[in-house]
Amino acid sequence: MIVSMQERATEEQIDAVIEVMEEAGVSVHRTTGAMQTILAGVGPTANIDLSKFEVLPGVLNVLRISSPYKLAGRAFRPEGSVIEFANGVKVGGEQVAVMAGPCSIENREQMFTTAARVKAIGASFLRGGAFKPRSSPYAFQGMGIPGLQMMHEAAREHGLLTVSEVMEISQIEEMSLYVDCFQVGARNMQNFNLLRELGQMRKPVLLKRGIAATLEELLLSSEYIMSGGNYDVILCERGIRTYETATRNTMDISSIPVIHKLSHLPIAADPSHGTGRRDMVAPMARAAVAAGADAILVEVHPNADKAASDAAQTLYLEQFEELMAQLRVIATAVGRTM
Ligand code: PEP
Ligand code: MN
């Protein structure tokens, strides 16, 4: 259930409503928007008489939520969520955020060169995998914590934030020293224990859509994180598996407006994994910004052809620069900045 408070509701009135909701057996999640406070009651609400909430002082209206996700739904934050990072970087606001870097962290030179260039070109996040979910156990598995330390150092030297994939619960604590945003990869979108644990953190999570996941499943996965009190979730469209074989995955651009309609959470687009092909990354990135993506995640590498993983879909830094110039024009056309 969602209880929307009146704009002028006092703290005492809000506390009193929370108390009655808890007495009715739901756990209460509170969000304070620019205009009003919204209280989401999660739990069994089928037998709760909503009219008893409608008459409480300060209440504007009460809704029973029929969708399976309660906290991820638009009604919880009708104006949309803006995730704030250090350095004033925001994801979900007017500006389209840019996350760029190699698939895998490989060495110092690669990370420092990449950091300097992507910062100059306009990215605000440096990405790089240190724990890699590879389809083959014989493929490069990533540098682990020493790699993250390297990425963190390069990012800080150039005023960038870091984003990197966490694969299991045991990695969270040490990773949190080096990452500003945890990435949950497509293969772990339904690793519910990992999601619950990230829900206990107070650090943003970039949650990628699973390879065969519906958008409802993606939103339910975000609910695992949010129900722990961590509301800073950025969803990510990274392509899904269909019967088409011309591209590595099928980039579902329509997921962007669908998510904006269903949810208040920002959505990023990853055209690198979405297509698997260097020559297709730019067209899909342009389409994603035109469709309203709140962030773009792109794999770039100073020597893309030699990247230790995902070389075929990795852009050279020059290509990334050219792409960013195009994206800025598109962003302006759809009322965003970049
Ligand atoms: C990645 O970002 O390098 C990655 C492995 O992504 P995904 O989980 O989308 O395959
Ligand atoms: Mn990759």
mmCIF file of all heavy atoms in Angstrom, residues 156-201:
data_model
loop_
_atom_site.group_PDB
_atom_site.id
_atom_site.type_symbol
_atom_site.label_atom_id
_atom_site.label_comp_id
_atom_site.label_asym_id
_atom_site.label_seq_id
_atom_site.Cartn_x
_atom_site.Cartn_y
_atom_site.Cartn_z
ATOM 1 N N ARG A 156 40.536 8.351 -8.989
ATOM 2 C CA ARG A 156 40.652 9.492 -8.077
ATOM 3 C C ARG A 156 41.614 10.541 -8.629
ATOM 4 O O ARG A 156 41.393 11.732 -8.480
ATOM 5 C CB ARG A 156 41.097 9.031 -6.684
ATOM 6 C CG ARG A 156 40.016 8.291 -5.925
ATOM 7 C CD ARG A 156 38.776 9.177 -5.699
ATOM 8 N NE ARG A 156 37.775 8.538 -4.861
ATOM 9 C CZ ARG A 156 36.721 7.854 -5.311
ATOM 10 N NH1 ARG A 156 36.515 7.708 -6.600
ATOM 11 N NH2 ARG A 156 35.853 7.309 -4.467
ATOM 12 N N GLU A 157 42.679 10.069 -9.273
ATOM 13 C CA GLU A 157 43.627 11.023 -9.849
ATOM 14 C C GLU A 157 42.946 11.915 -10.884
ATOM 15 O O GLU A 157 43.326 13.060 -11.082
ATOM 16 C CB GLU A 157 44.800 10.269 -10.496
ATOM 17 C CG GLU A 157 45.874 11.220 -10.999
ATOM 18 C CD GLU A 157 47.179 10.500 -11.304
ATOM 19 O OE1 GLU A 157 47.650 9.731 -10.446
ATOM 20 O OE2 GLU A 157 47.708 10.705 -12.414
ATOM 21 N N HIS A 158 41.910 11.392 -11.525
ATOM 22 C CA HIS A 158 41.252 12.162 -12.577
ATOM 23 C C HIS A 158 39.831 12.599 -12.208
ATOM 24 O O HIS A 158 39.055 12.990 -13.081
ATOM 25 C CB HIS A 158 41.261 11.357 -13.879
ATOM 26 C CG HIS A 158 42.646 11.150 -14.400
ATOM 27 N ND1 HIS A 158 43.353 12.147 -15.033
ATOM 28 C CD2 HIS A 158 43.484 10.090 -14.317
ATOM 29 C CE1 HIS A 158 44.558 11.695 -15.352
ATOM 30 N NE2 HIS A 158 44.670 10.454 -14.919
ATOM 31 N N GLY A 159 39.477 12.520 -10.930
ATOM 32 C CA GLY A 159 38.161 12.998 -10.505
ATOM 33 C C GLY A 159 37.003 12.169 -11.028
ATOM 34 O O GLY A 159 35.933 12.696 -11.334
ATOM 35 N N LEU A 160 37.227 10.872 -11.139
ATOM 36 C CA LEU A 160 36.157 9.982 -11.610
ATOM 37 C C LEU A 160 35.643 9.100 -10.481
ATOM 38 O O LEU A 160 36.360 8.839 -9.505
ATOM 39 C CB LEU A 160 36.693 9.061 -12.719
ATOM 40 C CG LEU A 160 37.027 9.715 -14.064
ATOM 41 C CD1 LEU A 160 37.963 8.808 -14.863
ATOM 42 C CD2 LEU A 160 35.756 10.004 -14.856
ATOM 43 N N LEU A 161 34.412 8.626 -10.637
ATOM 44 C CA LEU A 161 33.846 7.631 -9.724
ATOM 45 C C LEU A 161 34.124 6.240 -10.308
ATOM 46 O O LEU A 161 34.432 6.130 -11.485
ATOM 47 C CB LEU A 161 32.335 7.863 -9.604
ATOM 48 C CG LEU A 161 31.934 9.221 -9.039
ATOM 49 C CD1 LEU A 161 30.500 9.562 -9.424
ATOM 50 C CD2 LEU A 161 32.097 9.241 -7.525
ATOM 51 N N THR A 162 33.980 5.205 -9.483
ATOM 52 C CA THR A 162 34.256 3.852 -9.984
ATOM 53 C C THR A 162 33.021 2.965 -9.908
ATOM 54 O O THR A 162 32.206 3.086 -8.992
ATOM 55 C CB THR A 162 35.375 3.168 -9.161
ATOM 56 O OG1 THR A 162 34.976 3.118 -7.786
ATOM 57 C CG2 THR A 162 36.694 3.906 -9.273
ATOM 58 N N VAL A 163 32.921 2.079 -10.882
ATOM 59 C CA VAL A 163 31.852 1.073 -10.880
ATOM 60 C C VAL A 163 32.457 -0.255 -11.308
ATOM 61 O O VAL A 163 33.239 -0.312 -12.260
ATOM 62 C CB VAL A 163 30.656 1.499 -11.782
ATOM 63 C CG1 VAL A 163 31.075 1.848 -13.196
ATOM 64 C CG2 VAL A 163 29.567 0.425 -11.806
ATOM 65 N N SER A 164 32.151 -1.309 -10.534
ATOM 66 C CA SER A 164 32.734 -2.614 -10.835
ATOM 67 C C SER A 164 31.814 -3.724 -10.339
ATOM 68 O O SER A 164 31.071 -3.539 -9.369
ATOM 69 C CB SER A 164 34.109 -2.729 -10.178
ATOM 70 O OG SER A 164 34.807 -3.851 -10.684
ATOM 71 N N GLU A 165 31.907 -4.856 -11.003
ATOM 72 C CA GLU A 165 30.974 -5.951 -10.693
ATOM 73 C C GLU A 165 31.353 -6.724 -9.437
ATOM 74 O O GLU A 165 32.496 -7.128 -9.249
ATOM 75 C CB GLU A 165 30.908 -6.916 -11.891
ATOM 76 C CG GLU A 165 30.018 -8.116 -11.587
ATOM 77 C CD GLU A 165 29.606 -8.933 -12.801
ATOM 78 O OE1 GLU A 165 29.924 -8.535 -13.937
ATOM 79 O OE2 GLU A 165 28.961 -9.970 -12.597
ATOM 80 N N VAL A 166 30.344 -6.955 -8.596
ATOM 81 C CA VAL A 166 30.501 -7.807 -7.420
ATOM 82 C C VAL A 166 29.814 -9.129 -7.736
ATOM 83 O O VAL A 166 28.676 -9.151 -8.195
ATOM 84 C CB VAL A 166 29.909 -7.125 -6.161
ATOM 85 C CG1 VAL A 166 28.445 -6.757 -6.327
ATOM 86 C CG2 VAL A 166 30.090 -7.988 -4.917
ATOM 87 N N MET A 167 30.535 -10.237 -7.521
ATOM 88 C CA MET A 167 29.949 -11.527 -7.885
ATOM 89 C C MET A 167 29.435 -12.318 -6.701
ATOM 90 O O MET A 167 28.597 -13.191 -6.851
ATOM 91 C CB MET A 167 30.948 -12.362 -8.679
ATOM 92 C CG MET A 167 31.020 -11.885 -10.123
ATOM 93 S SD MET A 167 32.207 -12.765 -11.117
ATOM 94 C CE MET A 167 31.810 -14.457 -10.844
ATOM 95 N N GLU A 168 29.982 -12.031 -5.527
ATOM 96 C CA GLU A 168 29.480 -12.785 -4.376
ATOM 97 C C GLU A 168 29.580 -11.973 -3.087
ATOM 98 O O GLU A 168 30.345 -11.006 -3.003
ATOM 99 C CB GLU A 168 30.203 -14.117 -4.244
ATOM 100 C CG GLU A 168 31.705 -13.999 -4.273
ATOM 101 C CD GLU A 168 32.355 -15.328 -3.942
ATOM 102 O OE1 GLU A 168 32.426 -15.650 -2.735
ATOM 103 O OE2 GLU A 168 32.767 -16.030 -4.883
ATOM 104 N N ILE A 169 28.809 -12.423 -2.102
ATOM 105 C CA ILE A 169 28.685 -11.685 -0.845
ATOM 106 C C ILE A 169 30.041 -11.426 -0.196
ATOM 107 O O ILE A 169 30.306 -10.337 0.309
ATOM 108 C CB ILE A 169 27.769 -12.463 0.130
ATOM 109 C CG1 ILE A 169 26.333 -12.471 -0.419
ATOM 110 C CG2 ILE A 169 27.796 -11.878 1.532
ATOM 111 C CD1 ILE A 169 25.374 -13.359 0.366
ATOM 112 N N SER A 170 30.924 -12.420 -0.252
ATOM 113 C CA SER A 170 32.214 -12.288 0.443
ATOM 114 C C SER A 170 33.069 -11.148 -0.122
ATOM 115 O O SER A 170 34.012 -10.715 0.526
ATOM 116 C CB SER A 170 32.986 -13.606 0.359
ATOM 117 O OG SER A 170 33.293 -13.878 -0.995
ATOM 118 N N GLN A 171 32.755 -10.688 -1.326
ATOM 119 C CA GLN A 171 33.570 -9.611 -1.932
ATOM 120 C C GLN A 171 33.096 -8.211 -1.535
ATOM 121 O O GLN A 171 33.821 -7.234 -1.714
ATOM 122 C CB GLN A 171 33.501 -9.716 -3.470
ATOM 123 C CG GLN A 171 34.127 -10.992 -4.004
ATOM 124 C CD GLN A 171 33.688 -11.321 -5.429
ATOM 125 O OE1 GLN A 171 32.759 -10.716 -5.969
ATOM 126 N NE2 GLN A 171 34.354 -12.281 -6.040
ATOM 127 N N ILE A 172 31.888 -8.120 -0.999
ATOM 128 C CA ILE A 172 31.266 -6.799 -0.815
ATOM 129 C C ILE A 172 32.105 -5.869 0.066
ATOM 130 O O ILE A 172 32.376 -4.721 -0.295
ATOM 131 C CB ILE A 172 29.840 -6.934 -0.218
ATOM 132 C CG1 ILE A 172 28.908 -7.628 -1.224
ATOM 133 C CG2 ILE A 172 29.277 -5.568 0.163
ATOM 134 C CD1 ILE A 172 27.503 -7.870 -0.698
ATOM 135 N N GLU A 173 32.502 -6.378 1.213
ATOM 136 C CA GLU A 173 33.129 -5.500 2.200
ATOM 137 C C GLU A 173 34.423 -4.882 1.664
ATOM 138 O O GLU A 173 34.603 -3.665 1.714
ATOM 139 C CB GLU A 173 33.403 -6.289 3.479
ATOM 140 C CG GLU A 173 33.599 -5.382 4.663
ATOM 141 C CD GLU A 173 33.815 -6.181 5.944
ATOM 142 O OE1 GLU A 173 33.116 -7.201 6.147
ATOM 143 O OE2 GLU A 173 34.703 -5.774 6.728
ATOM 144 N N GLU A 174 35.290 -5.725 1.122
ATOM 145 C CA GLU A 174 36.565 -5.192 0.643
ATOM 146 C C GLU A 174 36.368 -4.329 -0.616
ATOM 147 O O GLU A 174 37.012 -3.291 -0.781
ATOM 148 C CB GLU A 174 37.557 -6.329 0.381
ATOM 149 C CG GLU A 174 38.984 -5.809 0.413
ATOM 150 C CD GLU A 174 40.031 -6.904 0.395
ATOM 151 O OE1 GLU A 174 39.680 -8.086 0.208
ATOM 152 O OE2 GLU A 174 41.216 -6.548 0.549
ATOM 153 N N MET A 175 35.445 -4.757 -1.463
ATOM 154 C CA MET A 175 35.191 -3.957 -2.672
ATOM 155 C C MET A 175 34.697 -2.560 -2.346
ATOM 156 O O MET A 175 34.955 -1.609 -3.069
ATOM 157 C CB MET A 175 34.129 -4.640 -3.544
ATOM 158 C CG MET A 175 34.681 -5.694 -4.455
ATOM 159 S SD MET A 175 33.397 -6.256 -5.596
ATOM 160 C CE MET A 175 33.419 -4.949 -6.823
ATOM 161 N N SER A 176 33.936 -2.463 -1.244
ATOM 162 C CA SER A 176 33.315 -1.167 -0.951
ATOM 163 C C SER A 176 34.365 -0.090 -0.644
ATOM 164 O O SER A 176 34.061 1.095 -0.692
ATOM 165 C CB SER A 176 32.267 -1.281 0.155
ATOM 166 O OG SER A 176 32.921 -1.539 1.358
ATOM 167 N N LEU A 177 35.601 -0.507 -0.382
ATOM 168 C CA LEU A 177 36.673 0.484 -0.194
ATOM 169 C C LEU A 177 37.041 1.149 -1.513
ATOM 170 O O LEU A 177 37.590 2.251 -1.535
ATOM 171 C CB LEU A 177 37.935 -0.199 0.371
ATOM 172 C CG LEU A 177 37.812 -0.906 1.721
ATOM 173 C CD1 LEU A 177 39.086 -1.694 2.018
ATOM 174 C CD2 LEU A 177 37.541 0.129 2.810
ATOM 175 N N TYR A 178 36.790 0.465 -2.614
ATOM 176 C CA TYR A 178 37.280 0.945 -3.923
ATOM 177 C C TYR A 178 36.197 1.288 -4.938
ATOM 178 O O TYR A 178 36.501 1.872 -5.964
ATOM 179 C CB TYR A 178 38.229 -0.105 -4.524
ATOM 180 C CG TYR A 178 39.301 -0.532 -3.551
ATOM 181 C CD1 TYR A 178 39.316 -1.805 -2.988
ATOM 182 C CD2 TYR A 178 40.284 0.373 -3.155
ATOM 183 C CE1 TYR A 178 40.284 -2.178 -2.063
ATOM 184 C CE2 TYR A 178 41.252 0.012 -2.230
ATOM 185 C CZ TYR A 178 41.245 -1.263 -1.678
ATOM 186 O OH TYR A 178 42.197 -1.614 -0.772
ATOM 187 N N VAL A 179 34.966 0.875 -4.686
ATOM 188 C CA VAL A 179 33.939 1.185 -5.687
ATOM 189 C C VAL A 179 32.923 2.178 -5.139
ATOM 190 O O VAL A 179 32.540 2.126 -3.969
ATOM 191 C CB VAL A 179 33.214 -0.079 -6.234
ATOM 192 C CG1 VAL A 179 34.189 -1.056 -6.856
ATOM 193 C CG2 VAL A 179 32.365 -0.750 -5.175
ATOM 194 N N ASP A 180 32.504 3.087 -6.015
ATOM 195 C CA ASP A 180 31.450 4.043 -5.659
ATOM 196 C C ASP A 180 30.088 3.475 -6.012
ATOM 197 O O ASP A 180 29.066 3.958 -5.524
ATOM 198 C CB ASP A 180 31.671 5.364 -6.405
ATOM 199 C CG ASP A 180 32.995 5.997 -6.004
ATOM 200 O OD1 ASP A 180 33.156 6.286 -4.804
ATOM 201 O OD2 ASP A 180 33.878 6.166 -6.870
ATOM 202 N N CYS A 181 30.075 2.480 -6.882
ATOM 203 C CA CYS A 181 28.820 1.865 -7.300
ATOM 204 C C CYS A 181 29.092 0.386 -7.567
ATOM 205 O O CYS A 181 30.004 0.050 -8.322
ATOM 206 C CB CYS A 181 28.319 2.568 -8.573
ATOM 207 S SG CYS A 181 26.746 1.970 -9.185
ATOM 208 N N PHE A 182 28.325 -0.477 -6.913
ATOM 209 C CA PHE A 182 28.451 -1.914 -7.168
ATOM 210 C C PHE A 182 27.676 -2.259 -8.434
ATOM 211 O O PHE A 182 26.531 -1.830 -8.578
ATOM 212 C CB PHE A 182 27.816 -2.721 -6.028
ATOM 213 C CG PHE A 182 28.591 -2.721 -4.751
ATOM 214 C CD1 PHE A 182 28.148 -1.997 -3.656
ATOM 215 C CD2 PHE A 182 29.749 -3.477 -4.632
ATOM 216 C CE1 PHE A 182 28.846 -2.013 -2.455
ATOM 217 C CE2 PHE A 182 30.459 -3.506 -3.430
ATOM 218 C CZ PHE A 182 30.009 -2.771 -2.348
ATOM 219 N N GLN A 183 28.290 -3.051 -9.290
ATOM 220 C CA GLN A 183 27.544 -3.561 -10.447
ATOM 221 C C GLN A 183 27.145 -5.001 -10.151
ATOM 222 O O GLN A 183 27.965 -5.799 -9.706
ATOM 223 C CB GLN A 183 28.441 -3.505 -11.687
ATOM 224 C CG GLN A 183 27.827 -4.117 -12.934
ATOM 225 C CD GLN A 183 28.730 -3.921 -14.153
ATOM 226 O OE1 GLN A 183 29.361 -2.877 -14.318
ATOM 227 N NE2 GLN A 183 28.798 -4.911 -15.016
ATOM 228 N N VAL A 184 25.872 -5.308 -10.388
ATOM 229 C CA VAL A 184 25.438 -6.711 -10.346
ATOM 230 C C VAL A 184 25.261 -7.129 -11.796
ATOM 231 O O VAL A 184 24.499 -6.506 -12.545
ATOM 232 C CB VAL A 184 24.120 -6.879 -9.560
ATOM 233 C CG1 VAL A 184 23.625 -8.326 -9.657
ATOM 234 C CG2 VAL A 184 24.319 -6.494 -8.098
ATOM 235 N N GLY A 185 25.990 -8.147 -12.205
ATOM 236 C CA GLY A 185 25.982 -8.553 -13.602
ATOM 237 C C GLY A 185 24.722 -9.312 -13.978
ATOM 238 O O GLY A 185 23.969 -9.777 -13.112
ATOM 239 N N ALA A 186 24.534 -9.433 -15.296
ATOM 240 C CA ALA A 186 23.347 -10.097 -15.830
ATOM 241 C C ALA A 186 23.182 -11.503 -15.246
ATOM 242 O O ALA A 186 22.071 -11.928 -14.915
ATOM 243 C CB ALA A 186 23.465 -10.168 -17.344
ATOM 244 N N ARG A 187 24.301 -12.193 -15.095
ATOM 245 C CA ARG A 187 24.221 -13.584 -14.611
ATOM 246 C C ARG A 187 23.836 -13.669 -13.141
ATOM 247 O O ARG A 187 23.487 -14.730 -12.647
ATOM 248 C CB ARG A 187 25.557 -14.296 -14.856
ATOM 249 C CG ARG A 187 25.846 -14.505 -16.324
ATOM 250 C CD ARG A 187 27.328 -14.657 -16.615
ATOM 251 N NE ARG A 187 27.602 -14.553 -18.044
ATOM 252 C CZ ARG A 187 27.680 -13.379 -18.705
ATOM 253 N NH1 ARG A 187 27.524 -12.233 -18.080
ATOM 254 N NH2 ARG A 187 27.922 -13.364 -19.993
ATOM 255 N N ASN A 188 23.943 -12.580 -12.443
ATOM 256 C CA ASN A 188 23.614 -12.573 -11.005
ATOM 257 C C ASN A 188 22.344 -11.799 -10.682
ATOM 258 O O ASN A 188 22.055 -11.567 -9.513
ATOM 259 C CB ASN A 188 24.777 -11.965 -10.216
ATOM 260 C CG ASN A 188 25.767 -13.035 -9.769
ATOM 261 O OD1 ASN A 188 25.363 -14.122 -9.352
ATOM 262 N ND2 ASN A 188 27.046 -12.761 -9.885
ATOM 263 N N MET A 189 21.587 -11.403 -11.708
ATOM 264 C CA MET A 189 20.399 -10.584 -11.429
ATOM 265 C C MET A 189 19.443 -11.286 -10.469
ATOM 266 O O MET A 189 18.698 -10.649 -9.731
ATOM 267 C CB MET A 189 19.659 -10.224 -12.728
ATOM 268 C CG MET A 189 18.538 -9.225 -12.511
ATOM 269 S SD MET A 189 17.285 -9.232 -13.802
ATOM 270 C CE MET A 189 16.207 -10.563 -13.243
ATOM 271 N N GLN A 190 19.463 -12.616 -10.505
ATOM 272 C CA GLN A 190 18.567 -13.335 -9.581
ATOM 273 C C GLN A 190 19.343 -14.089 -8.506
ATOM 274 O O GLN A 190 18.858 -15.081 -7.965
ATOM 275 C CB GLN A 190 17.633 -14.256 -10.354
ATOM 276 C CG GLN A 190 16.597 -13.427 -11.135
ATOM 277 C CD GLN A 190 15.529 -14.254 -11.776
ATOM 278 O OE1 GLN A 190 15.840 -15.276 -12.381
ATOM 279 N NE2 GLN A 190 14.281 -13.831 -11.673
ATOM 280 N N ASN A 191 20.523 -13.578 -8.179
ATOM 281 C CA ASN A 191 21.259 -14.112 -7.021
ATOM 282 C C ASN A 191 20.692 -13.360 -5.805
ATOM 283 O O ASN A 191 21.209 -12.331 -5.375
ATOM 284 C CB ASN A 191 22.760 -13.846 -7.214
ATOM 285 C CG ASN A 191 23.591 -14.387 -6.074
ATOM 286 O OD1 ASN A 191 23.081 -14.636 -4.980
ATOM 287 N ND2 ASN A 191 24.876 -14.540 -6.324
ATOM 288 N N PHE A 192 19.591 -13.899 -5.291
ATOM 289 C CA PHE A 192 18.805 -13.137 -4.313
ATOM 290 C C PHE A 192 19.554 -12.894 -3.007
ATOM 291 O O PHE A 192 19.360 -11.875 -2.354
ATOM 292 C CB PHE A 192 17.462 -13.837 -4.063
ATOM 293 C CG PHE A 192 16.646 -13.963 -5.327
ATOM 294 C CD1 PHE A 192 16.221 -15.200 -5.779
ATOM 295 C CD2 PHE A 192 16.336 -12.845 -6.087
ATOM 296 C CE1 PHE A 192 15.489 -15.314 -6.961
ATOM 297 C CE2 PHE A 192 15.606 -12.942 -7.267
ATOM 298 C CZ PHE A 192 15.183 -14.182 -7.702
ATOM 299 N N ASN A 193 20.427 -13.829 -2.630
ATOM 300 C CA ASN A 193 21.195 -13.605 -1.394
ATOM 301 C C ASN A 193 22.148 -12.420 -1.561
ATOM 302 O O ASN A 193 22.312 -11.604 -0.648
ATOM 303 C CB ASN A 193 21.986 -14.855 -1.016
ATOM 304 C CG ASN A 193 21.073 -15.986 -0.590
ATOM 305 O OD1 ASN A 193 19.955 -15.743 -0.130
ATOM 306 N ND2 ASN A 193 21.525 -17.213 -0.762
ATOM 307 N N LEU A 194 22.762 -12.344 -2.745
ATOM 308 C CA LEU A 194 23.667 -11.215 -3.027
ATOM 309 C C LEU A 194 22.872 -9.905 -3.026
ATOM 310 O O LEU A 194 23.300 -8.895 -2.442
ATOM 311 C CB LEU A 194 24.353 -11.427 -4.387
ATOM 312 C CG LEU A 194 25.272 -10.306 -4.882
ATOM 313 C CD1 LEU A 194 26.485 -10.140 -3.952
ATOM 314 C CD2 LEU A 194 25.768 -10.590 -6.311
ATOM 315 N N LEU A 195 21.700 -9.917 -3.637
ATOM 316 C CA LEU A 195 20.887 -8.696 -3.705
ATOM 317 C C LEU A 195 20.477 -8.246 -2.305
ATOM 318 O O LEU A 195 20.527 -7.058 -1.978
ATOM 319 C CB LEU A 195 19.640 -8.928 -4.571
ATOM 320 C CG LEU A 195 19.892 -9.335 -6.030
ATOM 321 C CD1 LEU A 195 18.574 -9.573 -6.752
ATOM 322 C CD2 LEU A 195 20.715 -8.288 -6.772
ATOM 323 N N ARG A 196 20.074 -9.201 -1.479
ATOM 324 C CA ARG A 196 19.664 -8.842 -0.111
ATOM 325 C C ARG A 196 20.804 -8.198 0.658
ATOM 326 O O ARG A 196 20.623 -7.232 1.393
ATOM 327 C CB ARG A 196 19.212 -10.099 0.653
ATOM 328 C CG ARG A 196 17.772 -10.447 0.441
ATOM 329 C CD ARG A 196 17.266 -11.285 1.622
ATOM 330 N NE ARG A 196 16.035 -11.947 1.294
ATOM 331 C CZ ARG A 196 14.842 -11.352 1.249
ATOM 332 N NH1 ARG A 196 14.751 -10.068 1.514
ATOM 333 N NH2 ARG A 196 13.762 -12.033 0.937
ATOM 334 N N GLU A 197 21.989 -8.764 0.467
ATOM 335 C CA GLU A 197 23.155 -8.238 1.177
ATOM 336 C C GLU A 197 23.470 -6.814 0.694
ATOM 337 O O GLU A 197 23.814 -5.937 1.487
ATOM 338 C CB GLU A 197 24.341 -9.177 0.932
ATOM 339 C CG GLU A 197 25.403 -9.140 1.992
ATOM 340 C CD GLU A 197 24.931 -9.540 3.383
ATOM 341 O OE1 GLU A 197 24.022 -10.392 3.507
ATOM 342 O OE2 GLU A 197 25.476 -8.972 4.359
ATOM 343 N N LEU A 198 23.339 -6.575 -0.603
ATOM 344 C CA LEU A 198 23.573 -5.222 -1.135
ATOM 345 C C LEU A 198 22.508 -4.254 -0.630
ATOM 346 O O LEU A 198 22.742 -3.049 -0.549
ATOM 347 C CB LEU A 198 23.617 -5.250 -2.670
ATOM 348 C CG LEU A 198 24.861 -5.948 -3.247
ATOM 349 C CD1 LEU A 198 24.701 -6.215 -4.738
ATOM 350 C CD2 LEU A 198 26.128 -5.122 -2.985
ATOM 351 N N GLY A 199 21.362 -4.796 -0.279
ATOM 352 C CA GLY A 199 20.296 -3.978 0.301
ATOM 353 C C GLY A 199 20.677 -3.434 1.678
ATOM 354 O O GLY A 199 20.122 -2.433 2.146
ATOM 355 N N GLN A 200 21.646 -4.094 2.319
ATOM 356 C CA GLN A 200 22.105 -3.627 3.639
ATOM 357 C C GLN A 200 23.163 -2.533 3.511
ATOM 358 O O GLN A 200 23.504 -1.875 4.483
ATOM 359 C CB GLN A 200 22.702 -4.792 4.453
ATOM 360 C CG GLN A 200 21.723 -5.909 4.753
ATOM 361 C CD GLN A 200 20.462 -5.383 5.410
ATOM 362 O OE1 GLN A 200 20.524 -4.605 6.359
ATOM 363 N NE2 GLN A 200 19.305 -5.771 4.872
ATOM 364 N N MET A 201 23.720 -2.381 2.312
ATOM 365 C CA MET A 201 24.761 -1.377 2.103
ATOM 366 C C MET A 201 24.114 -0.020 1.885
ATOM 367 O O MET A 201 22.950 0.082 1.517
ATOM 368 C CB MET A 201 25.615 -1.724 0.868
ATOM 369 C CG MET A 201 26.268 -3.077 0.891
ATOM 370 S SD MET A 201 27.445 -3.252 2.244
ATOM 371 C CE MET A 201 28.789 -2.202 1.673
#
